Amino acid sequence: MTATDRSTELITVAAQAAADKLAHDIIAYDVSDVLSITDAFLLASAPNDRQVKSIVDEIEEQLNKQLGAKPVRREGDRDARWILLDYVDIVVHVQHSEERVFYALERLWKDCPEIELPEDAKATRGKGEAHAQQQADEAGEAM
């Protein structure tokens, strides 16, 4: 079994929306062979809580505007460290960069096929690590 065309369409719009709000390390997995509850996961991250919320808001807005899709569940708003949007066909995880490293969801799903994403989304790969290095360099210079 593979992700449906509808799931792929949702993932594509969500990934582009995340990229438009400068999310880091956007990746999507087809989990339809290992999970019966959804077809695909989209993972994205940001260096601060405000940006996590902004990315989630943009994903939600674009999926509704372009495809008429609304999440059946939204979790994690209070702390904005890890917000989950459940669209049944897909689940979107937007995490603070620290949470992304700690929970390493990519390790859990690495055996699942990746879903092709828009070029803007692919260009975000490695941005989280680059941002962390920049922060470390700036902290070192301040000392």
Side-chain angles (χ1 to χ4, degrees):
M1 183 187 238
T2 59
T4 64
D5 290 341
R6 173 69 174 171
S7 298
T8 303
E9 186 179 34
L10 290 165
I11 287 286
T12 300
V13 170
Q16 184 62 54
D20 290 346
K21 285 295 182 177
L22 308 178
H24 296 167
D25 302 311
I26 302 168
I27 192 165
Y29 293 103
D30 179 340
V31 296
S32 60
D33 283 341
V34 293
L35 291 177
S36 60
I37 58 171
T38 192
D39 281 349
F41 281 163
L42 179 73
L43 310 176
S45 54
N48 61 62
D49 301 352
R50 183 183 298 165
Q51 191 175 358
V52 167
K53 186 151 178 25
S54 176
I55 291 165
V56 169
D57 289 345
E58 183 69 9
I59 290 169
E60 198 168 2
E61 181 179 329
Q62 291 306 316
L63 285 173
N64 187 22
K65 186 170 149 184
Q66 294 182 39
L67 302 174
K70 293 182 179 179
V72 295
R73 188 174 60 186
R74 180 175 172 153
E75 295 182 5
D77 271 328
R78 190 171 43 139
D79 296 330
R81 301 282 297 175
W82 181 350
I83 299 177
L84 179 143
L85 295 173
D86 184 352
Y87 285 88
V88 180
D89 294 328
I90 71 166
V91 176
V92 177
H93 300 267
V94 182
Q95 299 174 296
H96 188 287
S97 298
E98 292 170 0
E99 310 296 321
R100 179 89 178 255
V101 170
F102 183 79
Y103 289 102
L105 294 179
E106 290 90 340
R107 281 191 324 221
L108 294 173
W109 307 112
K110 71 178 189 276
D111 294 334
C112 295
E114 282 188 41
I115 296 173
E116 188 69 23
L117 297 176
E119 287 303 317
D120 290 348
K122 286 188 215 174
T124 67
R125 304 271 174 89
K127 295 261 175 133
E129 190 174 318
H131 180 77
Q133 185 60 50
Q134 179 186 358
Q135 296 290 2
D137 292 346
E138 289 172 5
E141 290 173 7
M143 292 182 158

PDB file of all heavy atoms in Angstrom, residues 10-32:
ATOM      1  N   LEU A  10      -1.961  16.789   0.001  1.00  0.00           N
ATOM      2  CA  LEU A  10      -1.941  17.474   1.296  1.00  0.00           C
ATOM      3  C   LEU A  10      -0.508  17.720   1.771  1.00  0.00           C
ATOM      4  O   LEU A  10      -0.163  18.812   2.242  1.00  0.00           O
ATOM      5  CB  LEU A  10      -2.701  16.653   2.343  1.00  0.00           C
ATOM      6  CG  LEU A  10      -4.212  16.555   2.192  1.00  0.00           C
ATOM      7  CD1 LEU A  10      -4.767  15.429   3.060  1.00  0.00           C
ATOM      8  CD2 LEU A  10      -4.874  17.876   2.545  1.00  0.00           C
ATOM      9  N   ILE A  11       0.341  16.698   1.638  1.00  0.00           N
ATOM     10  CA  ILE A  11       1.745  16.818   2.054  1.00  0.00           C
ATOM     11  C   ILE A  11       2.450  17.914   1.258  1.00  0.00           C
ATOM     12  O   ILE A  11       3.191  18.726   1.815  1.00  0.00           O
ATOM     13  CB  ILE A  11       2.487  15.464   1.884  1.00  0.00           C
ATOM     14  CG1 ILE A  11       2.053  14.473   2.963  1.00  0.00           C
ATOM     15  CG2 ILE A  11       4.005  15.641   1.854  1.00  0.00           C
ATOM     16  CD1 ILE A  11       2.597  14.722   4.362  1.00  0.00           C
ATOM     17  N   THR A  12       2.213  17.953  -0.048  1.00  0.00           N
ATOM     18  CA  THR A  12       2.870  18.943  -0.909  1.00  0.00           C
ATOM     19  C   THR A  12       2.498  20.367  -0.510  1.00  0.00           C
ATOM     20  O   THR A  12       3.363  21.231  -0.369  1.00  0.00           O
ATOM     21  CB  THR A  12       2.513  18.686  -2.387  1.00  0.00           C
ATOM     22  OG1 THR A  12       2.963  17.365  -2.740  1.00  0.00           O
ATOM     23  CG2 THR A  12       3.163  19.698  -3.310  1.00  0.00           C
ATOM     24  N   VAL A  13       1.213  20.607  -0.293  1.00  0.00           N
ATOM     25  CA  VAL A  13       0.758  21.946   0.106  1.00  0.00           C
ATOM     26  C   VAL A  13       1.300  22.301   1.489  1.00  0.00           C
ATOM     27  O   VAL A  13       1.792  23.415   1.710  1.00  0.00           O
ATOM     28  CB  VAL A  13      -0.787  22.047   0.063  1.00  0.00           C
ATOM     29  CG1 VAL A  13      -1.275  23.346   0.710  1.00  0.00           C
ATOM     30  CG2 VAL A  13      -1.275  21.939  -1.375  1.00  0.00           C
ATOM     31  N   ALA A  14       1.259  21.357   2.413  1.00  0.00           N
ATOM     32  CA  ALA A  14       1.749  21.615   3.774  1.00  0.00           C
ATOM     33  C   ALA A  14       3.258  21.878   3.774  1.00  0.00           C
ATOM     34  O   ALA A  14       3.740  22.783   4.472  1.00  0.00           O
ATOM     35  CB  ALA A  14       1.428  20.433   4.685  1.00  0.00           C
ATOM     36  N   ALA A  15       4.000  21.127   2.991  1.00  0.00           N
ATOM     37  CA  ALA A  15       5.457  21.310   2.929  1.00  0.00           C
ATOM     38  C   ALA A  15       5.809  22.672   2.344  1.00  0.00           C
ATOM     39  O   ALA A  15       6.713  23.355   2.839  1.00  0.00           O
ATOM     40  CB  ALA A  15       6.094  20.196   2.098  1.00  0.00           C
ATOM     41  N   GLN A  16       5.094  23.081   1.303  1.00  0.00           N
ATOM     42  CA  GLN A  16       5.359  24.397   0.709  1.00  0.00           C
ATOM     43  C   GLN A  16       5.025  25.511   1.698  1.00  0.00           C
ATOM     44  O   GLN A  16       5.764  26.480   1.833  1.00  0.00           O
ATOM     45  CB  GLN A  16       4.570  24.581  -0.591  1.00  0.00           C
ATOM     46  CG  GLN A  16       4.880  25.888  -1.310  1.00  0.00           C
ATOM     47  CD  GLN A  16       6.335  25.993  -1.734  1.00  0.00           C
ATOM     48  OE1 GLN A  16       6.846  25.113  -2.406  1.00  0.00           O
ATOM     49  NE2 GLN A  16       7.014  27.063  -1.335  1.00  0.00           N
ATOM     50  N   ALA A  17       3.911  25.360   2.409  1.00  0.00           N
ATOM     51  CA  ALA A  17       3.528  26.360   3.415  1.00  0.00           C
ATOM     52  C   ALA A  17       4.591  26.463   4.504  1.00  0.00           C
ATOM     53  O   ALA A  17       4.955  27.568   4.932  1.00  0.00           O
ATOM     54  CB  ALA A  17       2.168  26.010   4.022  1.00  0.00           C
ATOM     55  N   ALA A  18       5.106  25.323   4.950  1.00  0.00           N
ATOM     56  CA  ALA A  18       6.162  25.320   5.974  1.00  0.00           C
ATOM     57  C   ALA A  18       7.418  25.998   5.441  1.00  0.00           C
ATOM     58  O   ALA A  18       8.055  26.798   6.141  1.00  0.00           O
ATOM     59  CB  ALA A  18       6.471  23.888   6.416  1.00  0.00           C
ATOM     60  N   ALA A  19       7.776  25.700   4.203  1.00  0.00           N
ATOM     61  CA  ALA A  19       8.969  26.319   3.600  1.00  0.00           C
ATOM     62  C   ALA A  19       8.782  27.830   3.473  1.00  0.00           C
ATOM     63  O   ALA A  19       9.725  28.597   3.698  1.00  0.00           O
ATOM     64  CB  ALA A  19       9.248  25.692   2.234  1.00  0.00           C
ATOM     65  N   ASP A  20       7.574  28.256   3.134  1.00  0.00           N
ATOM     66  CA  ASP A  20       7.299  29.688   3.002  1.00  0.00           C
ATOM     67  C   ASP A  20       7.478  30.433   4.321  1.00  0.00           C
ATOM     68  O   ASP A  20       7.784  31.624   4.330  1.00  0.00           O
ATOM     69  CB  ASP A  20       5.879  29.913   2.482  1.00  0.00           C
ATOM     70  CG  ASP A  20       5.708  29.501   1.022  1.00  0.00           C
ATOM     71  OD1 ASP A  20       6.725  29.283   0.318  1.00  0.00           O
ATOM     72  OD2 ASP A  20       4.541  29.382   0.583  1.00  0.00           O
ATOM     73  N   LYS A  21       7.306  29.724   5.435  1.00  0.00           N
ATOM     74  CA  LYS A  21       7.489  30.330   6.763  1.00  0.00           C
ATOM     75  C   LYS A  21       8.860  29.987   7.356  1.00  0.00           C
ATOM     76  O   LYS A  21       9.076  30.106   8.554  1.00  0.00           O
ATOM     77  CB  LYS A  21       6.380  29.875   7.717  1.00  0.00           C
ATOM     78  CG  LYS A  21       5.058  30.547   7.433  1.00  0.00           C
ATOM     79  CD  LYS A  21       5.155  32.039   7.686  1.00  0.00           C
ATOM     80  CE  LYS A  21       3.826  32.720   7.453  1.00  0.00           C
ATOM     81  NZ  LYS A  21       3.896  34.144   7.774  1.00  0.00           N
ATOM     82  N   LEU A  22       9.777  29.551   6.490  1.00  0.00           N
ATOM     83  CA  LEU A  22      11.186  29.314   6.853  1.00  0.00           C
ATOM     84  C   LEU A  22      11.398  28.167   7.839  1.00  0.00           C
ATOM     85  O   LEU A  22      12.290  28.218   8.693  1.00  0.00           O
ATOM     86  CB  LEU A  22      11.836  30.602   7.370  1.00  0.00           C
ATOM     87  CG  LEU A  22      11.686  31.822   6.460  1.00  0.00           C
ATOM     88  CD1 LEU A  22      12.319  33.051   7.104  1.00  0.00           C
ATOM     89  CD2 LEU A  22      12.284  31.572   5.086  1.00  0.00           C
ATOM     90  N   ALA A  23      10.592  27.130   7.724  1.00  0.00           N
ATOM     91  CA  ALA A  23      10.806  25.932   8.540  1.00  0.00           C
ATOM     92  C   ALA A  23      12.129  25.286   8.153  1.00  0.00           C
ATOM     93  O   ALA A  23      12.634  25.484   7.043  1.00  0.00           O
ATOM     94  CB  ALA A  23       9.667  24.941   8.317  1.00  0.00           C
ATOM     95  N   HIS A  24      12.699  24.535   9.063  1.00  0.00           N
ATOM     96  CA  HIS A  24      13.942  23.820   8.826  1.00  0.00           C
ATOM     97  C   HIS A  24      13.665  22.333   8.616  1.00  0.00           C
ATOM     98  O   HIS A  24      12.737  21.777   9.197  1.00  0.00           O
ATOM     99  CB  HIS A  24      14.873  23.940  10.038  1.00  0.00           C
ATOM    100  CG  HIS A  24      15.329  25.318  10.319  1.00  0.00           C
ATOM    101  ND1 HIS A  24      15.937  25.662  11.495  1.00  0.00           N
ATOM    102  CD2 HIS A  24      15.293  26.461   9.595  1.00  0.00           C
ATOM    103  CE1 HIS A  24      16.257  26.931  11.492  1.00  0.00           C
ATOM    104  NE2 HIS A  24      15.857  27.448  10.345  1.00  0.00           N
ATOM    105  N   ASP A  25      14.504  21.701   7.819  1.00  0.00           N
ATOM    106  CA  ASP A  25      14.563  20.236   7.706  1.00  0.00           C
ATOM    107  C   ASP A  25      13.202  19.585   7.457  1.00  0.00           C
ATOM    108  O   ASP A  25      12.800  18.648   8.144  1.00  0.00           O
ATOM    109  CB  ASP A  25      15.210  19.633   8.959  1.00  0.00           C
ATOM    110  CG  ASP A  25      16.606  20.191   9.179  1.00  0.00           C
ATOM    111  OD1 ASP A  25      17.382  20.202   8.216  1.00  0.00           O
ATOM    112  OD2 ASP A  25      16.909  20.631  10.302  1.00  0.00           O
ATOM    113  N   ILE A  26      12.501  20.065   6.444  1.00  0.00           N
ATOM    114  CA  ILE A  26      11.194  19.515   6.099  1.00  0.00           C
ATOM    115  C   ILE A  26      11.393  18.171   5.398  1.00  0.00           C
ATOM    116  O   ILE A  26      12.179  18.055   4.465  1.00  0.00           O
ATOM    117  CB  ILE A  26      10.411  20.476   5.184  1.00  0.00           C
ATOM    118  CG1 ILE A  26      10.244  21.839   5.861  1.00  0.00           C
ATOM    119  CG2 ILE A  26       9.054  19.874   4.808  1.00  0.00           C
ATOM    120  CD1 ILE A  26       9.734  22.936   4.947  1.00  0.00           C
ATOM    121  N   ILE A  27      10.667  17.179   5.883  1.00  0.00           N
ATOM    122  CA  ILE A  27      10.736  15.837   5.294  1.00  0.00           C
ATOM    123  C   ILE A  27       9.383  15.159   5.478  1.00  0.00           C
ATOM    124  O   ILE A  27       8.673  15.445   6.453  1.00  0.00           O
ATOM    125  CB  ILE A  27      11.874  15.004   5.928  1.00  0.00           C
ATOM    126  CG1 ILE A  27      12.136  13.739   5.124  1.00  0.00           C
ATOM    127  CG2 ILE A  27      11.607  14.715   7.390  1.00  0.00           C
ATOM    128  CD1 ILE A  27      13.449  13.057   5.473  1.00  0.00           C
ATOM    129  N   ALA A  28       9.029  14.304   4.536  1.00  0.00           N
ATOM    130  CA  ALA A  28       7.750  13.582   4.628  1.00  0.00           C
ATOM    131  C   ALA A  28       7.978  12.101   4.377  1.00  0.00           C
ATOM    132  O   ALA A  28       8.796  11.720   3.535  1.00  0.00           O
ATOM    133  CB  ALA A  28       6.760  14.139   3.615  1.00  0.00           C
ATOM    134  N   TYR A  29       7.256  11.291   5.125  1.00  0.00           N
ATOM    135  CA  TYR A  29       7.356   9.838   5.006  1.00  0.00           C
ATOM    136  C   TYR A  29       5.998   9.230   4.686  1.00  0.00           C
ATOM    137  O   TYR A  29       4.980   9.624   5.268  1.00  0.00           O
ATOM    138  CB  TYR A  29       7.858   9.217   6.317  1.00  0.00           C
ATOM    139  CG  TYR A  29       9.273   9.583   6.648  1.00  0.00           C
ATOM    140  CD1 TYR A  29       9.540  10.542   7.616  1.00  0.00           C
ATOM    141  CD2 TYR A  29      10.338   8.977   6.008  1.00  0.00           C
ATOM    142  CE1 TYR A  29      10.848  10.885   7.931  1.00  0.00           C
ATOM    143  CE2 TYR A  29      11.650   9.314   6.323  1.00  0.00           C
ATOM    144  CZ  TYR A  29      11.896  10.273   7.282  1.00  0.00           C
ATOM    145  OH  TYR A  29      13.181  10.608   7.582  1.00  0.00           O
ATOM    146  N   ASP A  30       6.013   8.242   3.811  1.00  0.00           N
ATOM    147  CA  ASP A  30       4.837   7.436   3.520  1.00  0.00           C
ATOM    148  C   ASP A  30       4.823   6.316   4.558  1.00  0.00           C
ATOM    149  O   ASP A  30       5.636   5.401   4.505  1.00  0.00           O
ATOM    150  CB  ASP A  30       4.941   6.860   2.101  1.00  0.00           C
ATOM    151  CG  ASP A  30       3.763   5.982   1.727  1.00  0.00           C
ATOM    152  OD1 ASP A  30       3.053   5.498   2.638  1.00  0.00           O
ATOM    153  OD2 ASP A  30       3.563   5.770   0.524  1.00  0.00           O
ATOM    154  N   VAL A  31       3.915   6.417   5.515  1.00  0.00           N
ATOM    155  CA  VAL A  31       3.850   5.440   6.614  1.00  0.00           C
ATOM    156  C   VAL A  31       2.660   4.493   6.454  1.00  0.00           C
ATOM    157  O   VAL A  31       2.315   3.758   7.374  1.00  0.00           O
ATOM    158  CB  VAL A  31       3.799   6.148   8.001  1.00  0.00           C
ATOM    159  CG1 VAL A  31       5.070   6.932   8.251  1.00  0.00           C
ATOM    160  CG2 VAL A  31       2.573   7.048   8.125  1.00  0.00           C
ATOM    161  N   SER A  32       2.059   4.495   5.272  1.00  0.00           N
ATOM    162  CA  SER A  32       0.837   3.716   5.047  1.00  0.00           C
ATOM    163  C   SER A  32       1.047   2.207   5.194  1.00  0.00           C
ATOM    164  O   SER A  32       0.104   1.493   5.538  1.00  0.00           O
ATOM    165  CB  SER A  32       0.250   4.028   3.671  1.00  0.00           C
ATOM    166  OG  SER A  32       1.177   3.700   2.647  1.00  0.00           O
TER     167      SER A  32
END
